[in-house]
Amino acid sequence: MRVEQASALVRALERRRRRTRASEATRESVAAYIFLLPWLLGLFGLTLGPMVASLALSFTHFDLLSPPRWIGLRNYSLLLSDDRYLHSMRVTLTYVFLEVPLKLAFALLLAIVLNQGLRALGLYRALFYVPSLLGGSVAIAILWRRIFSGDGTLNVILNTAGWHHPPAWLQDLSFALYTLVALGVWQFGSPMVIFLAGLRQIPRELYEAARVDGARRLSQFFRLTLPLLTPLILFNFVLQMIYAFQTFTPAFIVSGGNGSPVDSTLFYTLYLYNEAFGNLHMGYGAAMAWILLVAIATATGAIFASSRFWVFYMETST
Amino acid sequence: MLTRREFTAAGLGLMATPTLLALLEACGGTSQAPAATRQTGPEASGGKLQIAWWGGSDRAKRTQQAMDLFTQKYPKWSFDSSFTGFNAYWDKINTQAAGGALPDIIQMDMRYLGQFTQRNQLLDLSRYADGELNLADFEKGQREQGTVNGKLYAVSLGGNTQSVVYNASAISQAGMQPPTGKESWDELATYCRQLQAKLPAGMAALDDCSWDISPFEVFVRQRNKKELYSSDGRALFTRDDTVAWLNMWADFRSAGFIVPGPAAAAENQQDTPDNANVVLGKTAMRLQWSNFVGQYQVLMKNATIGLAAHPGGAATGTYIKVSQAFSLSAKTQFPQAGAAFVGFFLHDPAAVAILGLERGVPASAKARATLGPSMAPADKVQLDFINAQVKNSRPKTVLDPTGAGEVQKAMARNALSVPLSKVSTSAAADKFISEATKALTA
């Protein structure tokens, strides 16, 4: 009898403790949501709302000044036969395929150089990071225009160095896009900082063990450093690809806003902007924006799907 | 202390006051004095006028000085101004129009006036014509160009016309006479060939203007005695016109007297006087709007700039154009102050002297007289030139349609594809016609 009573008491206490614990958890999550509220308001009011609206607008003819008119999938079918649109896609893909790998390679190279136990590492790291802070800005794009224009800084230097008729980089169809690739690669700072952090986390013992086994520096890099960095390469790759697809400012400034010369720098976003805000074809622009979103999502998905074949996560035993 | 209810009521009242005032103003007429006895000048309230224009640094300086003078005269009024190059300007203005946030005072181009009035973006200024704007002595043609369906939407800041703007110093150093303005296109080519032989290396006789819609318009008017567009907004230029135009420039190019493709592309990318090939010393002549003579002169301290009539027959091809105008936003809060500022800009002697002929020759007879004695030499050249060209031109009365801006860009793109990507002139013409047709129907 007494045992039964005692066990009943224990059970009651247990129940009560669980209840308070549960209510504590609820209270915590309520607090969390209150703290999240400003962000959630932004998400629904400023991001998701307009996004849904733009999806709806992509099925309309809309010039902003008169009410939108429903035209179904016509914007999308028009895009497929729009030569300038298809051209802008080619320009952007060329840019992404060149800029992203070059930038990552450059960032990794510098990270490795900086990781050689330099004095004043912080200073160099900051210096190399500066272009990334400035790179997307209008001022740098204008500077770029000055450097690469027909009688710009670069050509003055080349002239004194003995090359008498260097091309006008920004007005030559075979170079204009590559000057923008160079501008993109120059902003290697943020992947570099991430690589540098990754390099410093690789345990020294691994290198010592590799040396004992007789591995040379090159094979240390390919067999040890590179595999251990693959998670960070994946991370940088995805982020930089997403940025690259959306490149706008440099193309806008350097080309004078119209993708010139002769559409050679007509980036996807630039054409989108010109159609939407220059010609007030908002529905058409919205359709373009959604195709871009789907394209970026697909590319990201493909990279993640492929990652299990090449990304190596070190088992950490703690 | 206020109770909560009183507080709310007071708040609502405060909020309602401006709305009520605006409503009253909108229902207007009855509460306002008739125009003749009404006090002209800006509203007594004071405020900040937003103003936007396109143009280079010299224009910015002069415009700023004129605004400062207005603020001196009416200390309650100040300005919030912005300026950019031509292409970027229209992207921005279009966006602002779409968002219902046009600046109060907008510099207007005749290629865009149709589009903006069609979309009801501009204020009808007719009621200010005799008061604040004081258009009594305004040149009739320029006033008419700013009038759509009997309503005044754009007030000319000066007239100009397509012409040959040339570096007189470079031409005389080459031992040649400047062009006479009576040349046919063939004679111009002969002249350029002779000039090219005597110019220093790196300077072409003529700029590559194949990408510029304005001389193309003159060319089309000369060829067909037609306009670029019909009054219902269709293209009147044909594939044939375009091929002839591009072939002519291709011939000039192979004769070696126009600037190379990259220099033309650079000028198209940043089309402000500061980047003009004439100013940079890359060419001796350009087909250009006549008011640029002053703008180039300001930037070229060591040369004299001159003007000649357009080749190929100025009489049939050219017209006196409203170089640029001021319009007011349909939604401006300060219509009277906006109109007063435009009037000040046109007539105030000090403002007129500062502005000179930078935006073209003033349409007001009195303003031209004010300028007379104090004029800079380049302005004198421009004034005499326009006075002569009024009789040597054919007025244009059709307004450019919506889409004309995009046609302009399509011309630049496709004409430049000939020297830069070695596209044939007929292929470039095909592409231009199809893109232009699309721009005009979409």
Side-chain angles (χ1 to χ4, degrees):
Chain A
M1 187 69 186
R2 222 176 255 168
V3 178
E4 271 173 29
Q5 272 176 339
S7 68
L9 189 66
V10 166
R11 259 178 275 139
L13 278 172
E14 182 70 15
R15 264 203 303 275
R16 187 152 157 205
R17 209 173 69 206
R18 241 184 263 154
R19 218 178 302 136
T20 42
R21 213 189 272 161
S23 74
E24 238 167 59
T26 335
R27 228 181 307 140
E28 259 179 28
S29 63
V30 166
Y33 279 110
I34 289 174
F35 280 116
L36 274 174
L37 201 58
W39 185 80
L40 286 173
L41 281 178
L43 175 68
F44 286 102
L46 299 174
T47 308
L48 281 180
M51 270 180 79
V52 171
S54 92
L55 181 60
L57 284 176
S58 76
F59 301 109
T60 66
H61 176 91
F62 182 37
D63 67 1
L64 273 173
L65 302 168
S66 35
R69 198 175 72 235
W70 189 266
I71 54 168
L73 287 170
R74 203 171 141 65
N75 282 330
Y76 291 90
S77 64
L78 277 177
L79 278 173
L80 291 180
S81 59
D82 181 343
D83 290 339
R84 292 191 77 207
Y85 171 73
L86 299 174
H87 175 74
S88 77
M89 218 179 228
R90 272 194 298 275
V91 168
T92 307
L93 286 175
T94 312
Y95 178 82
V96 172
F97 276 110
L98 284 173
E99 194 252 14
V100 178
L102 280 175
K103 186 197 256 183
L104 292 190
F106 206 58
L108 182 56
L109 182 72
L110 267 147
I112 289 170
V113 171
L114 288 185
N115 197 36
Q116 303 304 309
L118 281 177
R119 284 164 146 206
L121 172 67
L123 178 70
Y124 286 111
R125 204 167 43 194
L127 278 180
F128 284 119
Y129 193 69
V130 166
S132 295
L133 295 176
L134 303 172
S137 72
V138 172
I140 289 295
I142 290 175
L143 177 72
W144 219 247
R145 204 169 73 196
R146 292 263 157 153
I147 293 176
F148 283 97
S149 72
D151 20 46
T153 322
L154 177 66
N155 280 1
V156 170
I157 295 171
L158 289 176
N159 241 316
T160 37
W163 186 2
H164 287 303
H165 292 285
W169 308 98
L170 294 177
Q171 283 83 38
D172 194 314
L173 294 187
S174 22
F175 296 111
L177 181 59
Y178 304 115
T179 61
L180 292 179
V181 170
L183 175 56
V185 172
W186 183 56
Q187 298 160 51
F188 57 83
S190 76
M192 180 199 73
V193 167
I194 293 169
F195 281 139
L196 198 53
L199 285 172
R200 312 193 89 192
Q201 276 183 359
I202 299 176
R204 299 224 150 247
E205 307 91 79
L206 291 180
Y207 288 105
E208 278 157 22
R211 262 199 301 276
V212 170
D213 288 348
R216 281 191 223 139
R217 293 200 81 152
L218 208 61
S219 62
Q220 276 179 37
F221 174 75
F222 281 108
R223 304 251 170 133
L224 199 58
T225 316
L226 210 53
L228 288 175
L229 277 181
T230 47
L232 292 181
I233 293 176
L234 173 68
F235 175 81
N236 277 332
F237 186 29
V238 169
L239 271 192
Q240 295 305 326
M241 181 210 61
I242 293 173
Y243 289 144
F245 265 111
Q246 299 178 55
T247 307
F248 175 79
T249 316
F252 182 81
I253 301 292
V254 171
S255 77
N258 52 19
S260 80
V262 198
D263 285 352
S264 61
T265 59
L266 187 71
F267 280 65
Y268 194 103
T269 49
L270 191 56
Y271 187 50
L272 194 167
Y273 171 81
N274 277 334
E275 276 297 308
F277 294 96
N279 298 334
L280 297 186
H281 298 150
M282 283 293 160
Y284 202 59
M288 260 186 249
W290 274 90
I291 293 178
L292 182 63
L293 179 76
V294 171
I296 293 177
T298 313
T300 311
I303 294 171
F304 272 113
S306 77
S307 71
R308 64 191 182 98
F309 299 109
W310 59 273
V311 176
F312 171 74
Y313 292 98
M314 190 169 50
E315 301 290 330
T316 44
S317 48
T318 39
Chain B
M1 267 195 49
L2 285 172
T3 66
R4 189 153 113 175
R5 188 175 293 171
E6 279 165 343
F7 183 79
T8 318
L12 282 175
L14 272 177
M15 270 160 52
T17 322
T19 326
L20 266 177
L21 284 178
L23 272 176
L24 283 174
E25 195 183 17
C27 302
T30 50
S31 63
Q32 295 201 348
T37 58
R38 163 171 76 82
Q39 187 76 35
T40 59
E43 290 92 339
S45 62
K48 199 168 220 179
L49 288 167
Q50 293 160 323
I51 176 170
W53 69 88
W54 71 85
S57 48
D58 177 45
R59 175 171 302 167
K61 212 168 12 173
R62 294 172 192 248
T63 311
Q64 187 59 51
Q65 284 170 355
M67 293 188 299
D68 292 345
L69 282 179
F70 188 78
T71 304
Q72 263 170 40
K73 187 168 174 191
Y74 303 103
K76 283 184 181 170
W77 291 91
S78 57
F79 295 88
D80 185 357
S81 64
S82 69
F83 68 97
T84 53
F86 187 81
N87 284 337
Y89 176 81
W90 289 106
D91 286 347
K92 188 172 172 189
I93 288 289
N94 271 330
T95 315
Q96 288 173 324
L102 273 181
D104 299 303
I105 305 167
I106 314 144
Q107 189 169 301
M108 181 53 58
D109 181 70
M110 290 300 115
R111 295 211 194 286
Y112 286 86
L113 183 61
Q115 173 179 339
F116 274 76
T117 52
Q118 207 184 343
R119 287 170 170 158
N120 301 320
Q121 295 290 314
L122 303 181
L123 188 71
D124 175 11
L125 299 170
S126 309
R127 58 182 299 239
Y128 304 108
D130 300 321
E132 281 79 3
L133 295 172
N134 188 12
L135 298 185
D137 67 342
F138 226 59
E139 194 190 284
K140 204 166 142 253
Q142 294 200 39
R143 181 167 172 172
E144 274 166 7
Q145 283 182 53
T147 306
V148 184
N149 300 328
K151 292 175 176 162
L152 180 67
Y153 287 110
V155 181
S156 173
L157 302 178
N160 61 5
T161 184
Q162 271 292 307
S163 59
V164 181
V165 178
Y166 59 83
N167 182 337
S169 310
I171 293 175
S172 76
Q173 275 156 27
M176 297 268 294
Q177 291 296 312
T180 59
K182 297 195 177 72
E183 291 88 355
S184 67
W185 287 103
D186 283 343
E187 285 161 359
L188 178 80
T190 312
Y191 172 82
C192 287
R193 231 176 253 121
Q194 292 166 355
L195 178 62
Q196 187 64 64
K198 295 171 182 165
L199 285 173
M203 187 186 268
L206 182 63
D207 205 354
D208 183 343
C209 306
S210 62
W211 57 270
D212 190 346
I213 195 90
S214 299
F216 176 66
E217 179 178 32
V218 175
F219 182 81
V220 169
R221 292 176 107 234
Q222 288 168 340
R223 242 172 98 86
N224 306 327
K225 314 285 178 287
K226 284 185 305 200
E227 296 293 342
L228 218 45
Y229 303 104
S230 67
S231 52
D232 58 350
R234 281 174 306 111
L236 293 180
F237 53 87
T238 60
R239 177 182 184 278
D240 210 42
D241 295 330
T242 316
V243 173
W245 169 255
L246 293 177
N247 277 341
M248 182 178 80
W249 285 97
D251 290 345
F252 289 180
R253 198 169 290 127
S254 48
F257 62 72
I258 62 173
V259 301
E267 189 162 34
N268 170 241
Q269 279 169 355
Q270 317 295 335
D271 197 10
T272 60
D274 315 63
N275 299 296
N277 284 331
V278 172
V279 173
L280 298 175
K282 290 182 182 171
T283 182
M285 303 189 284
R286 175 172 176 188
L287 305 178
Q288 180 60 288
W289 294 108
S290 54
N291 59 313
F292 279 81
V293 65
Q295 304 183 15
Y296 288 180
Q297 186 65 75
V298 166
L299 295 164
M300 298 181 75
K301 302 269 188 292
N302 302 320
T304 309
I305 308 300
L307 273 177
H310 203 280
T316 51
T318 62
Y319 58 95
I320 306 291
K321 173 182 174 277
V322 170
S323 148
Q324 50 215 280
F326 269 150
S327 293
L328 297 193
S329 160
K331 290 188 178 146
T332 177
Q333 276 182 285
F334 310 117
Q336 215 172 307
F341 175 69
V342 177
F344 180 87
F345 209 81
L346 298 174
H347 302 293
D348 180 82
V352 166
I354 284 169
L355 294 164
L357 270 64
E358 195 269 336
R359 283 180 166 91
V361 172
S364 147
K366 223 184 299 160
R368 280 202 297 265
T370 311
L371 276 170
S374 64
M375 237 183 317
D379 283 355
K380 180 89 175 70
V381 168
Q382 192 188 153
L383 183 62
D384 293 346
F385 180 74
I386 287 285
N387 283 339
Q389 291 305 308
V390 170
K391 278 155 273 164
N392 189 27
S393 57
R394 179 165 65 91
K396 173 183 172 184
T397 47
V398 189
L399 216 51
D400 287 352
T402 306
E406 183 57 30
V407 172
Q408 184 169 2
K409 289 181 197 159
M411 173 52 98
R413 211 160 48 225
N414 290 300
L416 285 172
S417 74
V418 176
L420 294 180
S421 44
K422 314 286 175 232
V423 170
S424 75
T425 50
S426 59
D430 283 337
K431 205 147 166 260
F432 168 65
I433 292 293
S434 91
E435 289 178 6
T437 314
K438 195 178 147 203
L440 292 167
T441 48

